[in-house]
Amino acid sequence: MAVRDDEVDLLIDAWSQRLPDVDLTPLDVMSRLRRVAARLARLRASAFRTAKLAAWEFDVLAALRRADPPHQLAPAQLIERTMTSSAGMSARLASLMERGLIERKRNPNDGRSILVRITDEGTTRVDLAMRELVRREEEALAELSPRDRATLIELLRVLMDDVPDAGDGEDAEPDVG
């Protein structure tokens, strides 16, 4: 069975004509990963919407849900686990509290600080979103055998460790491939 050229193949072909002396294999790999990541983001957002959650809401609630009972963390721990700024986290917590998905409690060990705890409603929503996410991700991976999945996991682990973080603070990605 012949494999049909996809959009990345066409990009690589165009660049190879412009830069024939450059090995474009890294662009081929990373362009595909970027496209998979974009599709995954859409899949996840759709799964979270079934529980009436935005992706950022899921991130915060999931961090709390994974914490040991009573499923509470200090704001600094949430910032670290969700890779969010302090100001961003403050706004997120205010919104989640307004929706009744979290509550803030005074830290019994340090009266100057607070702990954030997931509510029963927050637990219900994040659990529903997680179940739907796993179901949709299973559908997305259905074509891969268990062996292929294991291989992909190992390869992605290597990339996670080896791909340098630009650290320039820019979130935008140019569409070069």
Side-chain angles (χ1 to χ4, degrees):
M1 178 176 156
V3 177
R4 197 180 66 187
D5 281 354
D6 63 14
E7 61 195 47
V8 175
D9 292 321
L10 299 174
L11 276 166
I12 298 301
D13 290 347
W15 275 113
S16 65
Q17 290 175 9
R18 303 302 179 271
L19 303 171
D21 59 322
V22 176
D23 176 8
L24 297 170
T25 305
L27 183 64
D28 197 354
V29 171
M30 295 304 187
S31 294
R32 290 175 196 287
L33 283 174
R34 191 176 66 77
R35 282 167 170 72
V36 169
R39 289 181 182 168
L40 178 58
R42 289 190 300 271
L43 179 145
R44 287 179 163 218
S46 177
F48 301 152
R49 277 194 301 273
T50 64
K52 297 181 176 67
L53 294 174
W56 67 264
E57 291 173 314
F58 176 84
D59 285 345
V60 174
L61 294 175
L64 290 167
R65 184 71 168 118
R66 289 189 310 265
D68 290 335
H71 307 294
Q72 64 186 18
L73 295 168
Q77 292 172 299
L78 283 169
I79 289 167
E80 180 182 322
R81 293 178 189 191
T82 61
M83 297 181 286
T84 305
S85 70
S86 178
M89 184 55 69
S90 292
R92 289 173 180 200
L93 294 179
S95 177
L96 289 167
M97 193 163 151
E98 187 175 297
R99 292 187 59 202
L101 302 177
I102 64 161
E103 57 189 9
R104 297 182 205 202
K105 302 254 183 201
R106 195 169 290 288
N107 186 337
N109 300 325
D110 178 0
R112 297 169 293 156
S113 66
I114 65 161
L115 294 171
V116 178
R117 180 181 296 175
I118 193 169
T119 63
D120 289 344
E121 178 65 17
T123 299
T124 298
R125 297 250 192 121
V126 77
D127 286 359
L128 175 65
M130 179 55 83
R131 290 177 195 283
E132 183 64 14
L133 175 62
V134 170
R135 185 189 70 74
R136 290 180 187 212
E137 287 182 350
E138 175 58 37
E139 284 179 5
L141 294 171
E143 297 290 320
L144 297 179
S145 70
R147 184 178 183 168
D148 288 342
R149 290 180 190 198
T151 299
L152 182 57
I153 290 166
E154 289 306 311
L155 293 170
L156 291 171
R157 277 194 178 118
V158 170
L159 280 180
M160 285 175 55
D161 291 340
D162 290 347
V163 173
D165 183 1
D168 59 9
E170 294 292 325
D171 289 359
E173 297 178 22
D175 191 10
V176 297

